[in-house]
Amino acid sequence: MPKPDLAAEQHAIANMDWDALEASVAECRRCKLCQTRTKTVFGTGDRQAELLFVGEGPGQDEDRQGEPFVGRAGQLLNKMLAAVGLTREQVYIANIVKCRPPGNRNPEPDEASACRPYLERQIALIQPKLIVSLGAVSANNLLGNTEAVGRLRGKRHYYQPGNGTAPIPLLVTYHPSYYLRSPAEKAKGWQDLQMIFKALSKSTPFKAEAP
């Protein structure tokens, strides 16, 4: 059970509006990542978006600019969205943790746990129709498992909000950095994009070429 002061803090976060939430993140010292960050990386995009992308954590470029997915992986994500007629302004993009892990390592369990109330509140405020986990770190944290992306993608999962509201459909795909390392695998990303659109039940058909 959380300590009383931590429980009170989490209760306060769960009732914040966007402005209060962003201010709280900017001042956060809930874990050791605050000691090495340049900027916190809150999130970006449409705060009423139907589609929410969740990555693992900020990298060097994101830490410097204070915005998620602005490096090479972010540029590829933008291209993938553009291939199906979307911009990053039409979706919302966040991460499991709001501060860069040193050396771009994966967030440690205590770091992800400390940051989770912020992400849970963002999800509650956005109320997305669909969440897309970008990579294993995101998927494992949101789904509470240790499965590899290859075993999770292609299936519909559900994220259970901490406030007890209805589960939200969740799909898993590889992190864009995976495609930078393995360009031959980009077809999998295209397959997942099509599944994302099908899950959103878009009424307008889209036509695009695979990235």
Side-chain angles (χ1 to χ4, degrees):
M1 293 292 292
K3 296 179 181 179
D5 58 340
L6 182 57
E9 184 181 3
Q10 293 182 179
H11 178 75
I13 292 171
N15 289 279
M16 288 178 178
D17 61 16
W18 279 108
D19 290 341
L21 188 65
E22 189 165 9
S24 182
V25 168
E27 298 173 356
C28 180
R29 303 193 67 82
R30 291 169 60 88
C31 79
K32 59 184 176 293
L33 292 182
C34 69
Q35 300 171 9
T36 54
R37 73 184 180 217
T38 302
K39 291 183 178 180
T40 55
V41 181
F42 183 68
T44 189
D46 183 355
R47 292 179 173 181
Q48 296 179 313
E50 295 184 346
L51 182 57
L52 168 64
F53 288 90
V54 181
E56 54 191 48
Q60 184 176 19
D61 293 320
E62 291 77 13
D63 176 65
R64 185 174 62 251
Q65 298 184 40
E67 184 173 334
F69 284 88
V70 293
R72 292 181 62 218
Q75 293 167 14
L76 179 55
L77 178 60
N78 292 347
K79 291 179 180 178
M80 295 174 72
L81 289 173
V84 290
L86 287 174
T87 66
R88 62 190 285 131
E89 290 78 21
Q90 293 175 288
V91 303
Y92 198 87
I93 305 172
N95 282 308
I96 292 297
V97 294
K98 310 299 187 190
C99 300
R100 180 195 180 196
N104 290 353
R105 62 166 172 75
N106 290 339
E108 295 176 356
D110 64 314
E111 296 162 353
S113 177
C115 219
R116 190 176 179 94
Y118 293 127
L119 179 59
E120 288 183 344
R121 184 56 181 161
Q122 286 178 303
I123 294 173
L125 288 168
I126 296 167
Q127 298 183 23
K129 289 185 177 179
L130 178 67
I131 298 173
V132 177
S133 281
L134 298 170
V137 171
S138 171
N140 296 161
N141 275 279
L142 290 177
L143 296 175
N145 62 34
T146 58
E147 296 286 345
V149 173
R151 294 179 61 87
L152 294 172
R153 62 180 292 269
K155 305 172 185 176
R156 179 174 289 210
H157 307 275
Y158 289 89
Y159 163 77
Q160 179 60 63
N163 59 7
T165 56
I168 301 171
L170 184 149
L171 298 178
V172 178
T173 187
Y174 288 103
H175 194 281
S177 61
Y178 171 78
Y179 300 118
L180 293 175
R181 297 190 301 268
S182 307
E185 298 290 290
K186 284 186 178 181
K188 293 180 179 178
W190 177 244
Q191 293 169 2
D192 292 345
L193 279 174
Q194 294 183 81
M195 186 174 182
I196 289 165
F197 262 69
K198 183 177 180 180
L200 281 174
S201 300
K202 290 290 185 181
S203 58
T204 304
F206 64 94
K207 297 180 180 180
E209 297 180 357

